[in-house]
Amino acid sequence: VSEGFVTVKHNTPMLSLGNTYSKEELTDFDARIKKIIGEDFEYVCELKIDGLAIGLQYENGKLLKAITRGDGVQGDDVTENVRTIKSLNTQLHGDYADQFEVRGEIFMHHKAFERLNEMREKDGKPLYANPRNVASGSLKMQDSKEVAKRPLDIILYHLLSKDTYGGHFEGLVKANSWGIKTSPDSKKCKTLEDVFKFLDHWDTQRKKISYDIDGVVIKVN
């Protein structure tokens, strides 16, 4: 049982995303990027999972620290709680970098959330409101054994390393080869038109996936 959480400063700030709500705004964004770096670039489109942001620090292939976003500059060290997530590899394999950080989202699938609420209903306890709140609240629990009973999952979407692998997308492919769980739904897009197709596709397909998303993240590769 942990007595509170230690506050840790992020090695690199966890910045906020810019929001956009129309294809016109995306077209303006595309024009701004081209003014800065020219025409020769690609985009990466990723599902924006509705969960809790986390930063994982690895050293020599082992999970060293797990830090919540907090205020973006510093967050809580919740390493022992994060270690209980069954889909997370705390020991990597292959030609991993000596030191790196990978960031992602901790969340809960719909069916897992429903099962959890069914158990609470049987026990006469109040039901949870939504999967995101459960995921967030679970990481702030003091007893990691209790956290281990929560059916949490994790997907990582950002590799921070002194080694470069050709681009953001290529870095994630490399991290995945070490045992880092990344999203199979992320896609490299050569043009803004490809980005629009990705958005149109997930506008309907989002209802068929097993967890909540609240948009799409678009990054320059």
Side-chain angles (χ1 to χ4, degrees):
V1 179
S2 304
E3 295 295 332
F5 296 101
V6 176
T7 300
V8 180
K9 188 175 181 180
H10 295 294
N11 293 330
T12 304
M14 294 184 78
L15 303 176
S16 301
L17 295 167
N19 293 327
T20 187
Y21 301 98
S22 71
K23 290 184 176 180
E24 290 76 21
E25 289 178 353
L26 272 181
T27 301
D28 291 342
F29 171 73
D30 182 66
R32 292 199 303 273
I33 297 299
K34 286 176 178 174
K35 280 185 179 178
I36 298 168
I37 62 174
E39 302 273 344
D40 188 22
F41 67 92
E42 299 167 315
Y43 287 113
V44 179
C45 290
E46 304 168 352
L47 301 183
K48 187 175 182 294
I49 302 167
D50 191 16
L52 178 79
I54 196 78
L56 307 180
Q57 296 176 10
Y58 281 83
E59 191 171 295
N60 298 320
K62 293 182 180 179
L63 178 64
L64 187 67
K65 279 183 183 175
I67 307 168
T68 62
R69 182 180 184 276
D71 62 5
V73 176
Q74 58 186 12
D76 291 332
D77 184 338
V78 290
T79 308
E80 293 312 307
N81 286 348
V82 170
R83 285 183 187 279
T84 68
I85 300 175
K86 295 178 177 62
S87 57
L88 174 68
N89 282 325
T90 57
Q91 174 63 64
L92 305 180
H93 52 76
D95 59 342
Y96 47 76
D98 292 340
Q99 289 182 316
F100 68 90
E101 182 176 347
V102 62
R103 291 174 175 175
E105 206 83 4
I106 293 173
F107 63 99
M108 190 176 288
H109 294 271
H110 296 148
K111 287 187 177 179
F113 174 71
E114 289 164 9
R115 287 195 300 269
L116 194 61
N117 261 346
E118 285 170 6
M119 290 168 57
R120 290 183 68 82
E121 191 171 29
K122 286 178 183 177
D123 294 339
K125 296 177 180 178
L127 302 185
Y128 291 122
N130 57 65
R132 186 190 187 282
N133 285 0
V134 181
S136 180
S138 297
L139 282 195
K140 294 303 179 74
M141 295 172 75
Q142 296 297 314
D143 189 347
S144 59
K145 288 183 179 178
E146 289 301 313
V147 181
K149 297 176 184 178
R150 302 290 179 93
L152 298 175
D153 203 349
I154 188 168
I155 288 179
L156 289 310
Y157 51 65
H158 188 183
L159 176 66
L160 291 163
S161 170
K162 68 180 187 299
D163 300 312
T164 57
Y165 300 98
H168 166 70
F169 188 84
E170 291 74 18
L172 288 178
V173 171
K174 192 67 176 175
N176 184 256
S177 74
W178 305 333
I180 297 289
K181 185 180 177 184
T182 58
S183 173
D185 299 312
S186 298
K187 186 176 181 181
K188 209 158 43 165
C189 296
K190 290 188 177 299
T191 66
L192 191 60
E193 192 57 42
D194 291 336
V195 172
F196 291 153
K197 289 177 182 176
F198 186 93
L199 292 170
D200 291 339
H201 173 78
W202 285 105
D203 192 35
T204 55
Q205 291 301 306
R206 63 185 300 174
K207 298 168 187 173
K208 298 180 181 180
I209 55 179
S210 63
Y211 52 88
D212 290 328
I213 64 171
D214 54 354
V216 166
V217 181
I218 302 161
K219 302 174 181 175
V220 175
N221 192 29

